[in-house]
Amino acid sequence: MAEYKFHILVCGGTGCLSSNSHEIADGLKDAIKAAGMEEEVKVLQTGCFGFCEKGPIVKVLPDNTFYTQVKPEDVNEIVSEHIVKGRKVNRLLYVDPENEKHISDAKHMDFYKKQMRIALRNCGFIDPENIDEYIGRDGYQALAKCLTEMTPEQVIEEVKKSGLRGRGGAGFPTGLKWQFAHGYQADQKYVVCNADEGDPGAFMDRSILEGDPNSIIEAMAICGYAIGASQGRVYIRAEYPLAIQRLEIAIAQAREYGLLGDNILGTDFSFDIQLCFGAGAFVCGEETALIHSMEGQRGEPTIKPPFPAENGFWNKPTNVNNVETFANIPVIFLKGADWFSSIGTEKSKGTKVFALAGKINNVGLIEVPMGTTLREVIYDIGGGIKNGKKFKAVQTGGPSGGCLTEKDLDTPIDFDNLVAKGSMMGSGGMIVMDEDDCMPSVARFYMEFIEEESCGKCTPCRIGTKRLSELLKDITGGKGTMEHIAELKRVSQVIRDTALCGLGQTAPNPVLSTLAHFEDEYIAHVKDHTCPAGKCTALLKFKINPEACKGCTLCARKCPVGAISGEVRKPHTIDQAKCIKCGACMDNCKFGAITKN
Amino acid sequence: MAKIKSLEELKKIKEQAQQSVSLRVKGDNIENLVQVRVAMATCGIAAGARETMNEFIKVLNEEHMDNVVVTQTGCMGYCYAEPTIELTMPGKEPVVYGNVDKNKVHEIVEKAIKGGEMLDGIIPVTHNTVE
């Protein structure tokens, strides 16, 4: 075997790939070949490093150098300087925004300091298309331990003891779910992995599948052993082509090794996995809708009970867990339930992966122990708000969740605290909003999403979300009254109480939580007909400050509808009746004389 | 790929596979390891720094010394004493050795790394490693 001196890891997550990281990897291989060092340097593509903001990422080991925003044309310099001569390429190193110092080592970056990676342990570390790399990181040891040393009951007991709760959103105890499925007798049972990640702004499940697909396969096999199932299904949305491809490669390699198939590791246990592709409907994240979709029926939920544990896929006992939940399972068996339950808060154990998005400096994928505060996540890891703006709110739990504000920043994040604050953990999307975001517009965005995604089976969700969306359109369009706000509250309450499934019951959450925290903003829209954030075009008024206006006539010439008039060298005015609020005048004014509010 | 039929066979594959990821594991834990940094500027390379580095890696692999990591660095400025290496034991100040040829490599591994001794050939440090 070649004795490699260096490993160069190139991020192969979806974000970095779309910024040409594939070309970077190929370029590095060519440059290394040209330098005659292919026996000494190994180049591989890994899963997501999480630091998507500064991608594509290239990491050189063992010296742990972390290069950001690498372009294909940088590869020759990396090879000739760093690899051949041992000089790090300073201009590609991460620059600490606080003191503008170059940081060469990922460990010294604030982004990584407070993170703890369990579910993401192999993302950005191994080649996800090579099962040997996973095995080299103790892969399939947990399955071997369960099959050879433990009974199914002991396996379930260990998961219960770990305190692991479902990472898909609701936080139901995983061990208990397994026990239910274990308790029903049937000739066939199923293990289903829910990879139908549908929240806007969430990409943690995709990244785990892209970066470490074998961890899911191993965990599903462990679950199969525990509940007595020999068949597994991964329900994954067809919009995730890279995740599907890597999962297929991993399944094929696991079958070749006999880690899937009959008599795994020489035991009596047999297990195999097939993929089912979803068309990307949000409601299919709900487990009964997901199962119907897998059976070829319409993706519509049915009333529980019966729960899938009793009557699921093809009417057989079925256990459905989310991708991130499964990703934690092998580690629980390798390090022990006691170790796992020592992390986190009293009722929420372990870590949680969050996808940071919105107006935050370090957009990316992070994993922190439960109990980390929002402030630590947003400011220490996320690097604070973009362009030095003021923090306004963060939406957690996607469209089913709610927003949290300044006063909630020091709340330790766990399942129960977020619910107590009127939001929820959800799958872990975190969309950060700043002072320029208008909350009724945010609610409208989510309501339009839900209206679109409602399956239409029950009336409260089908018609109620449509009504909410219309009310919000009126409010943000300048046609709202105080009755609109009262009606929003009333309709929300009815939907919450009467909708059939979780999607409908939580659909009004964005409305209720923005109303709870920002009712004054709603009132400003309907009473004063202004949008405090300056977002709602219909309510905007562009004005020229006569003291600052020099009468240069530039705005009058730029205005596409001729709404600005005035004499040369005298202050101009805007005819509000003609103005279409395009903002061209404001963008072009050289004296800052035009304001909007 | 042959089928893995027992826990023993899985362990065997794991051991082979571990070597391929061990370099990365070391990188993750570098501050707790013995670090050998080989100066790899033009004069160093001309004087045989690459051979020195290869020899270190070979000897350390043969001896299964997983607690040592070999990396390279740029010019340290001791052109009269190339190849030079900087040896850092965990928690200690780095020590620079000059004229490290293949024989010296063996001496450093045996006495300095394993035995913790100071050897002849230390260059008084006048530079600071740039992180």
Side-chain angles (χ1 to χ4, degrees), chain A residues 199-253:
Chain A
D199 288 4
F203 49 93
M204 59 288 292
D205 292 347
R206 184 182 76 194
S207 297
I208 292 171
L209 290 168
E210 287 174 2
D212 194 14
N214 278 290
S215 67
I216 305 303
I217 296 173
E218 181 179 9
M220 287 177 71
I222 292 173
C223 177
Y225 176 69
I227 69 167
S230 63
Q231 287 289 323
R233 297 283 185 279
V234 180
Y235 184 84
I236 182 167
R237 43 179 54 218
E239 294 120 306
Y240 282 179
L242 185 65
I244 290 171
Q245 185 197 341
R246 295 209 169 129
L247 203 50
E248 280 174 341
I249 292 170
I251 289 173
Q253 290 179 347

Side-chain angles (χ1 to χ4, degrees), chain A residues 433-580:
Chain A
M433 289 167 271
D434 69 6
E435 52 191 314
D436 291 341
D437 286 306
C438 158
M439 300 319 279
S441 299
V442 168
R444 199 186 95 186
F445 165 79
Y446 282 115
M447 209 38 68
E448 282 171 355
F449 176 83
I450 292 286
E451 185 194 339
E452 183 100 339
E453 292 292 343
S454 170
C455 76
K457 186 171 181 175
C458 73
T459 316
C461 179
R462 181 180 68 245
I463 297 179
T465 57
K466 175 101 183 145
R467 290 291 95 83
L468 287 180
S469 165
E470 286 168 358
L471 290 166
L472 288 164
K473 237 170 255 168
D474 279 354
I475 292 172
T476 55
K479 294 175 215 146
T481 60
M482 285 307 280
E483 278 81 70
H484 277 78
I485 297 178
E487 188 68 359
L488 273 181
K489 290 181 185 166
R490 198 184 63 82
V491 176
S492 295
Q493 202 54 50
V494 173
I495 300 175
R496 183 180 256 194
D497 293 341
T498 55
L500 173 68
C501 78
L503 185 145
Q505 288 154 15
T506 56
N509 281 0
V511 176
L512 292 171
S513 84
T514 50
L515 266 174
H517 296 294
F518 299 99
E519 188 159 9
D520 51 338
E521 221 172 292
Y522 278 86
I523 292 173
H525 278 74
V526 299
K527 271 198 167 164
D528 312 334
H529 293 280
T530 57
C531 173
K535 258 272 140 70
C536 297
T537 334
L539 295 171
L540 279 185
K541 278 200 188 84
F542 285 86
K543 279 187 190 147
I544 298 175
N545 175 2
E547 277 159 35
C549 178
K550 306 270 187 240
C552 74
T553 75
L554 183 62
C555 59
R557 279 178 281 137
K558 290 286 175 187
C559 178
V561 290
I564 303 179
S565 57
E567 285 175 45
V568 181
R569 293 204 183 83
K570 288 197 178 144
H572 283 44
T573 51
I574 300 174
D575 180 352
Q576 296 298 337
K578 280 190 190 167
C579 176
I580 55 163

